Amino acid sequence: MKYTDILIDLRKILRSINLENKKVEKKYGVSTPQIIVLNYLNEQDNYQSTSTQIKKLLNLNASTVTGIISRLVKKGLIARVPSQKDRRVVNICITMKGMDLIKSLPTVLHEKLAEKLENLSEEQQLEIKNALEILTKLMGVEDVDASPVLSTRIDLDEEKNG
């Protein structure tokens, strides 16, 4: 096996993620990280959360999460609502428009992959994780903030536009 085979496989993965993200964003007007936030809020008992909890979910820095939330607010998909218990706290709530959008969204690539990964044996999952850890170390990207969501260009745009 040639090392170029590994590079080609990585390029295929990155390209397919990027193409799907562009397609979904063009058709539905939301990025993959924004979809994750909408789904998360929709799954909460009271349809709301805090930006701190969303930051933990996405595993991205605060300014990036603030940008994601601001864009969703601007689109009318979520709203910032002061907490009734503590006025210093602002809750992030999904709107009816956000709920309607979620119903129309397709299953995205990372959700399909997550389901397939769950069906692998623990040994197979560990093998993939170890191989990816080696790759991240070789690339020197172990300390890069990254969401558990498959997204490339969109995360970079979120970071830049934060």
Side-chain angles (χ1 to χ4, degrees):
M1 180 170 85
K2 297 178 189 175
Y3 73 90
T4 54
D5 293 338
I6 296 169
L7 296 175
I8 289 168
D9 285 343
L10 280 172
R11 179 69 183 128
K12 286 179 185 178
I13 291 168
L14 293 172
R15 181 149 167 68
S16 64
I17 293 167
N18 199 17
L19 288 173
E20 183 191 67
N21 287 335
K22 284 179 184 179
K23 185 173 98 178
V24 169
E25 188 164 14
K26 183 176 181 179
K27 184 170 182 176
Y28 299 96
V30 288
S31 67
T32 303
Q34 291 171 350
I35 292 169
I36 298 305
V37 171
L38 291 171
N39 281 325
Y40 174 72
L41 292 171
N42 195 51
E43 292 167 359
Q44 300 309 301
D45 290 335
N46 54 1
Y47 302 102
Q48 62 185 8
S49 184
T50 64
S51 58
T52 302
Q53 291 167 321
I54 292 170
K55 179 185 173 300
K56 286 179 187 172
L57 168 77
L58 294 175
N59 193 33
L60 295 171
N61 69 45
S63 65
T64 301
V65 173
T66 299
I68 292 168
I69 290 169
S70 294
R71 282 183 279 289
L72 287 169
V73 168
K74 189 183 271 189
K75 293 173 186 177
L77 301 172
I78 64 174
R80 291 183 176 104
V81 180
S83 170
Q84 294 190 351
K85 294 178 185 173
D86 184 347
R87 293 284 178 196
R88 296 170 296 177
V89 175
V90 175
N91 290 317
I92 310 300
C93 306
I94 190 166
T95 63
M96 289 304 293
K97 183 177 177 182
M99 288 179 182
D100 289 342
L101 177 65
I102 287 173
K103 292 174 189 171
S104 69
L105 292 172
T107 303
V108 289
L109 184 62
H110 78 272
E111 291 170 335
K112 294 174 194 172
L113 179 58
E115 187 176 303
K116 290 178 181 179
L117 286 170
E118 285 177 353
N119 291 328
L120 294 177
S121 70
E122 195 170 318
E123 183 178 300
Q124 290 172 311
Q125 289 179 25
L126 188 58
E127 193 175 317
I128 292 170
K129 183 174 178 0
N130 289 338
L132 291 172
E133 282 178 4
I134 291 168
L135 275 174
T136 56
K137 286 178 185 171
L138 289 173
M139 294 175 70
V141 295
E142 309 95 320
D143 296 329
V144 173
D145 282 345
S147 168
V149 177
L150 296 177
S151 183
T152 54
R153 179 193 61 79
I154 292 169
D155 282 342
L156 296 174
D157 287 349
E158 301 282 1
E159 185 78 36
K160 185 172 53 184
N161 296 329

